[in-house]
Amino acid sequence: KRIIIKIIYDLVRYIKKHKIELIYSNGFCSFFCSSFASLITNIKHFRFIGGDLTKNEPFHFNNWKFNVLPPSWLTDKYCGGVFILDKMHEKGVPRSKLLPLFTPGGVDSELFKPSMTISEKANLREKLGIPSENLVIAWLGRIESNMEVRNTLKLVKELKERGLDKLTFLII
């Protein structure tokens, strides 16, 4: 208990000292401490939800009833993929608290527009040893079991087995 109170106290001091205007948290512990720090300092708090809470945080998501402590007490918005936000809505979190960060396909094509010229792309492909005719599937993130890298690898394997053999899997 004391360490959590100290973390919240230190976070509040840091927020005030550096005039922080927004807290953006991720994992459950940082979310918990950030929630109370944002309440004390009266600043906005957004929690990023990555992946699938039913697998990454099964105890918290499956056993915690969102209506016991209303989301408005904990965070201004939950941010993340459409899939997990829909699950949160099913658990009782109001849509007004949910901020989708990705399209159902996983990429915001307005935000992530290709900005390289054709020759720059060709040079980069050559530098990385990627044939110009290959489709590139990239993994961007931590490589840990809860990030479901195996599912992505299975997808790449299945695509190759179905005839898409001109494929490069790039890990960033």
Side-chain angles (χ1 to χ4, degrees), residues 83-151:
F83 174 75
I84 191 60
L85 296 183
D86 284 346
K87 282 187 173 186
M88 292 179 73
H89 180 66
E90 290 170 13
K91 286 277 191 176
V93 178
R95 287 266 181 220
S96 62
K97 289 284 182 185
L98 305 174
L99 177 64
L101 296 180
F102 323 112
T103 62
V107 176
D108 183 339
S109 59
E110 288 301 310
L111 182 62
F112 295 100
K113 294 179 183 173
S115 61
M116 299 173 88
T117 65
I118 293 172
S119 64
E120 288 172 327
K121 286 181 187 180
N123 289 339
L124 183 58
R125 279 179 173 264
E126 185 177 333
K127 182 178 176 182
L128 295 173
I130 301 171
S132 61
E133 67 275 3
N134 277 25
L135 171 68
V136 177
I137 295 179
W139 175 270
L140 176 63
R142 297 185 323 270
I143 300 191
E144 294 180 10
S145 61
N146 69 340
M147 299 305 288
E148 301 195 25
V149 179
R150 288 185 182 164
N151 287 345

